[in-house]
Amino acid sequence: MEQQQQQMHHQHQHQQHQDADNPVYANYEDMRNSGPSSSTAYMINMGPGAPPEGVVISDHSPPRKRSGVTQQYRGFKTSENEPRGCMEWIVTILSVIVFIITSPISIFICFKVVAEYQRAIIFRLGRLSGGARGPGMFFILPCIDEYRRVDLRTVTFNVPQQEMLTKDSVTVTVDAVVYYRISDPLYAVIQVEDYSTSTRLLAATTLRNIVGTRNLSELLTEREILAHTMQSTLDEATEPWGVMVERVEIKDVSLPVSMQRAMAAEAEAARDARAKVIAAEGEKKSAQALKEASDVISSSPSALQLRYLQTLSSISAEKNSTIVFPLPMELLTPYLAKYAHMMPQMPPQQSKEKTADGTVIDALAAWPKTQL
């Protein structure tokens, strides 16, 4: 009995020595990390589906017997100390050739050029790298740097037609033109997402706000003041974006048809009243001039006669009308005195006649007596 116990004790110690010589690993990675060598046998735990005994792994030693059963497994084979195969050499050589061929092209792609009116803003791994680059050539690192171009030229755009109410509740449609340019490329890229769209929308809103504070008469007669106010407001709002508004022009102010008719009638009435006033002032001045002319002409009968003949001459220039004019009796007085004895003297039959209103006229007294 004591001999059997001693024998079992010796077997147990022998098993411990074998376990120390042949450690058991949970997987292949643990075995690699422990520093394996080709001359040492190791035990690998294969999991639930593995055989009950350990697996002896050895590159050169023959399979070992345990518990009377011979187990032989090839296990996992490492390739760290093995020579490279043909395919690996081919892939390595092709990689080197591709790198050599594409290196000049990659370097050429790294050089960028911007025009005289452009600037480039470079971001290196998402961070701003220096100031604006350009004009000319600059270098960027591939896969690390990215850049954005900014145009410094003056940009012109039309503000869409805005239909709005004026201060005196009149519906008008106004459109304008805005001229702007980039004054600071860094702010134009960093401070605002899209400076062009933002400036256009802000211009439309500013136009509506300014027109809403003016009367219709001011809107029609003070376009320059309105444009200057809009320019100042836009420039103040876009200055943090690096955008400078250079000029604003009001293109057109459209009114409804009914308002156009009312304004046309008002203008026509005002013009008629002004025309009447002007005509009255002309008549007044003409009467004053005629009075002064009559005073001058009355002092000389020959001047009156000359004026009379001049009037006849101006009337007869057309030669398409019949003119009836009185003849002054003063012109005939000499002729009547010369030929009076040749005229028959025929006094009236009745010396007195009674008119319809009862007035009695003495015909003999009224008959002209010519003295020779």
Side-chain angles (χ1 to χ4, degrees), residues 244-262:
M244 184 177 68
V245 179
E246 296 180 338
R247 188 181 182 89
V248 176
E249 292 292 341
I250 304 298
K251 289 178 60 178
D252 187 22
V253 178
S254 301
L255 300 175
V257 179
S258 58
M259 180 59 64
Q260 293 179 7
R261 292 175 180 173

Side-chain angles (χ1 to χ4, degrees), residues 329-338:
M329 296 303 296
E330 290 79 1
L331 296 177
L332 302 178
T333 301
Y335 299 99
L336 291 176
K338 183 177 181 180

Side-chain angles (χ1 to χ4, degrees), residues 280-292:
E281 292 178 355
E283 292 290 339
K284 179 180 178 181
K285 294 179 180 180
S286 177
Q288 185 69 24
L290 289 175
K291 179 179 179 298
E292 296 176 356

